[in-house]
Amino acid sequence: MEKIKNYYQQAKSELTKVIFPTKDQIRNAFVSVFVVVAVVSLFLAMIDMIMSYTLSNII
């Protein structure tokens, strides 16, 4: 029983050391990820359209 009590005390102690991000940091990270994903998906869509157009003209 002492081991379990000691474990929870140490876990609680470690949680006090954690630095959680602020709302602004979370929002900035979300916007950054969203922009990068949008740009990459648009690039891949453009490459797909070019390749599709090229192959349809060849065939």
Side-chain angles (χ1 to χ4, degrees), residues 38-57:
V39 168
V40 169
S41 64
L42 289 174
F43 174 74
L44 291 175
M46 185 177 68
I47 296 296
D48 183 47
M49 288 189 329
I50 292 170
M51 291 178 75
S52 176
Y53 177 76
T54 305
L55 286 175
S56 66
N57 283 340

Side-chain angles (χ1 to χ4, degrees), residues 2-55:
E2 188 64 32
K3 285 184 179 182
I4 295 173
K5 186 177 179 182
N6 188 22
Y7 173 77
Y8 280 112
Q9 286 175 348
Q10 289 178 355
K12 188 176 178 180
S13 170
E14 289 297 321
L15 280 176
T16 60
K17 298 176 187 177
V18 175
I19 300 172
F20 292 99
T22 63
K23 284 185 179 182
D24 288 336
Q25 290 172 332
I26 293 171
R27 188 176 300 116
N28 289 339
F30 173 77
V31 170
S32 300
V33 169
F34 186 80
V35 167
V36 168
V37 167
V39 168
V40 169
S41 64
L42 289 174
F43 174 74
L44 291 175
M46 185 177 68
I47 296 296
D48 183 47
M49 288 189 329
I50 292 170
M51 291 178 75
S52 176
Y53 177 76
T54 305
L55 286 175

